[in-house]
Amino acid sequence: MARSRPAPPALGRVDGVDWSPLTEAELPEVSGLLTAIEHFDDPAERHTLEELQEAFAESAADPEHNARIGRDRGGVVVAYGWVHPFPADVNPRRVFLDGGVHPGWRRRGIGHELLDWELARAAEWDAQTRSAEHGPLQLTVPVEEKFTDRAKLVCDRKFSAVRWFADMSLKFEQLDSGVPAVPRLPGIRLEPFRVTVSEQVRQAHNEAFADHWGSQPVPQVRWQERLAASSTRTEWSWVALDDASGEVAGYAMNAAYPQDWEFQGYREGWTDRLGVRRNWRNRGIAKALLIASMRSFADAGLDGAGLGVDTDNPTGAFGLYTRLGYHRGETQVMYARIDSP
């Protein structure tokens, strides 16, 4: 049975900032705030308004309760905080915390105030939705390695760095012989992703990542939301099928983030999800899927390929990417805190 906890404390410790729940009509203003933050901080990834709208519409978003924006006395949005719970029926329970403060309003305590509100809201959500089978709540905040002030902020609230995720990229012009041919694999055929195998690919993904840190089964609703996202490029995505059984052995789900291209100086296809089921590992399937993806990117007129990798990935993915020509770039640190119910 769900338990009740006191509501999160009201925001308002910092003078000159008025707080309210986030509405859909205010997303363009949040986008403007993020543009200012990105201009000042120069992060590896940029946002789009469309992505904000998609996040607002997600099945578990509940922005009325999980998001707050702060305005100055002139009505300009200067800060926001957003609590993103993972679906309540998975275990362990996990909540991602997101937020930002305009550069001109920093060092006034707004960041700590926002984080305190988010922590309290996450605890409230946990109490309202947990059952007897649920274990502790894991709170996570991703922070780019270069953002030391943000790291200190979360460490002040007893978060610890637990995992490092590296962006990796390659430019096709730097490959000595160009993009290689897709290797042929005995008993395996590569096919373009089709909607008809979407559910099989989802199940394959959940199985492939069952032994990865922090991974949880992706429910159907989340999978469908991701497929429908503006960044997803199913036409560049690939599936490896077992000839004998017809089962999905592996997959590469690809995407494009054009908002980042201007700042990185080239156009890049991005592999969002890459996995091979345990019974089909060590047969070159991941390599073949990546090369097929590269060729799709090149055929689309792009200049390179990118992906993110857990530097402690148990399958040795980091070495595979390096051998294919990917180079390590920015690193994102995952900070986590476990709260007992």
Side-chain angles (χ1 to χ4, degrees), residues 100-147:
V101 179
H102 191 284
W105 281 82
R106 294 177 182 175
R107 304 190 184 283
R108 306 188 192 193
I110 296 175
H112 281 94
E113 181 180 15
L114 259 178
L115 184 54
D116 288 342
W117 179 87
E118 290 182 303
L119 292 170
R121 171 56 194 152
E124 181 186 47
W125 169 85
D126 182 46
Q128 291 170 343
T129 59
R130 78 166 31 254
S131 68
E133 291 76 29
H134 286 128
L137 175 67
Q138 184 184 71
L139 303 157
T140 56
V141 181
V143 180
E144 279 194 42
E145 197 169 43
K146 64 184 179 182
F147 296 155

Side-chain angles (χ1 to χ4, degrees), residues 148-214:
T148 55
D149 285 349
R150 184 172 174 83
K152 182 179 184 305
L153 169 67
V154 297
C155 289
D156 283 347
R157 294 302 184 261
K158 304 195 182 304
F159 283 77
S160 299
V162 295
R163 213 73 176 187
W164 284 257
F165 295 85
D167 287 349
M168 300 190 74
S169 61
L170 64 83
K171 295 181 182 178
F172 299 143
E173 64 181 16
Q174 296 175 345
L175 298 175
D176 292 339
S177 302
V179 179
V182 180
R184 294 189 177 185
L185 305 175
I188 298 293
R189 68 183 186 275
L190 263 59
E191 294 186 355
F193 174 85
R194 306 184 311 278
V195 174
T196 53
V197 297
S198 176
E199 178 57 17
Q200 291 174 263
V201 175
R202 181 185 74 88
Q203 294 175 8
H205 171 77
N206 288 342
E207 179 185 323
F209 276 80
D211 56 354
H212 288 232
W213 178 89

Side-chain angles (χ1 to χ4, degrees), residues 236-249:
W236 300 345
S237 299
W238 290 86
V239 179
L241 298 174
D242 182 87
D243 279 334
S245 65
E247 291 185 66
V248 171

Side-chain angles (χ1 to χ4, degrees), residues 225-293:
E225 287 171 345
R226 188 61 206 159
L227 280 183
S230 58
S231 58
T232 298
R233 298 291 188 270
T234 55
E235 68 274 21
W236 300 345
S237 299
W238 290 86
V239 179
L241 298 174
D242 182 87
D243 279 334
S245 65
E247 291 185 66
V248 171
Y251 56 89
M253 301 301 296
N254 295 314
Y257 297 94
Q259 66 270 26
D260 298 333
W261 295 349
E262 176 184 354
F263 301 95
Q264 62 192 34
Y266 63 97
R267 299 170 299 170
E268 173 186 73
W270 187 266
T271 298
D272 262 346
R273 286 178 168 145
L274 173 73
V276 177
R277 295 169 64 189
R278 182 179 294 276
N279 288 344
W280 283 272
R281 290 178 183 169
N282 301 313
R283 295 173 58 177
I285 294 175
K287 177 181 178 180
L289 287 165
L290 279 175
I291 293 174
S293 299

